[in-house]
Amino acid sequence: MLSVADIAVMFNVEPKTVSMWRLRYPEFPEPDVIVGGMAGWDPDRAEELRVWESRRPGQGRRAMLAEHVQETLRRTFVFRFMRPDDFSWAPIDFPGIEYEDGLLADGMQTKAAEHLIGALRDQGCEIVFKDPATDVTQAVQRVLWDRWTAEEVGEHEFIGRLFDDHGRIYHGCTAFDAASYTLQRLAALGGEIRPGRGLSPQMPGRKPR
């Protein structure tokens, strides 16, 4: 039998959230058994539970927020990280970035990760991880500059370095791709970008030099 805890794992939520769903939504699938006050669902009903969760009230808002976060990240890449008035493969550029002989100077990958984190925070977004001990800057640096494996991000997914040592985005990638791959890789590390209250869809302006 599937327990409340098992269902919570299915949907990556806390068991108390599943219990709340049962109380809040009358249409939540009824358990097959209740033993000692503990509810249980036949494993064959897993798909029924998934269908219910996909149609749960509030899912539309969740999808809208996810799209909003991705668009905010894309615009942040364009206007606060890359060069909006140049080719997409031009080296990244923001106040404080330094190059030596065409390569990012020492410490610039870390500085770039910190800059992206700060630029997102300016837009009302925060990068958070399930493990609070995760070093956010190191994680973002890995997202942007490390190679990945199919085991980490899935088969047929892009596993190359998103940016190279020259500060250039992988040839053929766009800011939209950068946003998609960043979210995908953060998720693989147990992280996500959460919108703060009052997040608006306004385009972030480019900070003066």
Side-chain angles (χ1 to χ4, degrees):
M1 286 290 172
L2 294 173
S3 66
V4 166
D6 293 327
I7 296 173
V9 171
M10 286 173 57
F11 301 124
N12 195 29
V13 297
E14 296 290 333
K16 63 182 180 182
T17 299
V18 177
S19 298
M20 180 191 68
W21 289 346
R22 292 186 63 206
L23 294 172
R24 178 176 295 178
Y25 304 119
E27 67 275 16
F28 188 90
E30 288 291 330
D32 294 293
V33 297
I34 296 181
V35 179
M38 305 293 288
W41 290 259
D42 190 302
D44 291 339
R45 298 180 65 195
E47 183 59 27
E48 177 187 353
L49 289 161
R50 291 190 181 94
V51 170
W52 178 87
E53 200 278 335
S54 70
R55 299 173 179 173
R56 177 171 56 84
Q59 287 292 81
R61 174 172 171 76
R62 180 188 296 183
M64 181 178 67
L65 283 175
E67 291 178 2
H68 200 168
V69 165
Q70 181 163 342
E71 177 61 9
T72 298
L73 180 56
R74 183 192 73 81
R75 290 172 179 263
T76 300
F77 269 122
V78 171
F79 294 98
R80 301 282 293 277
F81 199 75
M82 299 163 73
R83 302 188 185 198
D85 54 349
D86 207 335
F87 293 109
S88 62
W89 58 86
I92 58 176
D93 181 43
F94 55 83
I97 192 73
E98 296 178 5
Y99 290 88
E100 294 179 358
D101 298 324
L103 297 173
L104 287 167
D106 289 344
M108 287 300 106
Q109 289 185 8
T110 299
K111 188 177 184 68
E114 293 172 343
H115 174 78
L116 183 61
I117 293 167
L120 283 170
R121 189 175 295 125
D122 289 344
Q123 308 309 314
C125 291
E126 197 75 25
I127 299 176
V128 297
F129 289 86
K130 293 178 182 177
D131 182 357
T134 300
D135 186 307
V136 178
T137 299
Q138 288 184 2
V140 172
Q141 183 173 334
R142 185 184 174 206
V143 164
L144 299 178
W145 271 281
D146 280 9
R147 286 187 60 83
W148 291 63
T149 66
E151 289 73 21
E152 291 174 311
V153 295
E155 293 185 4
H156 311 301
E157 296 291 345
F158 174 65
I159 61 173
R161 301 175 71 195
L162 191 50
F163 290 89
D164 64 19
D165 293 334
H166 297 273
R168 295 186 300 236
I169 194 170
Y170 187 86
H171 192 71
C173 283
T174 64
F176 179 86
D177 297 322
S180 297
Y181 295 140
T182 295
L183 292 172
Q184 180 188 62
R185 294 174 178 192
L186 283 174
L189 296 175
E192 63 177 330
I193 298 177
R194 290 182 182 171
R197 293 182 179 179
L199 178 64
S200 69
Q202 295 179 356
M203 180 174 65
R206 188 172 176 81
K207 283 188 174 180
R209 289 182 174 278

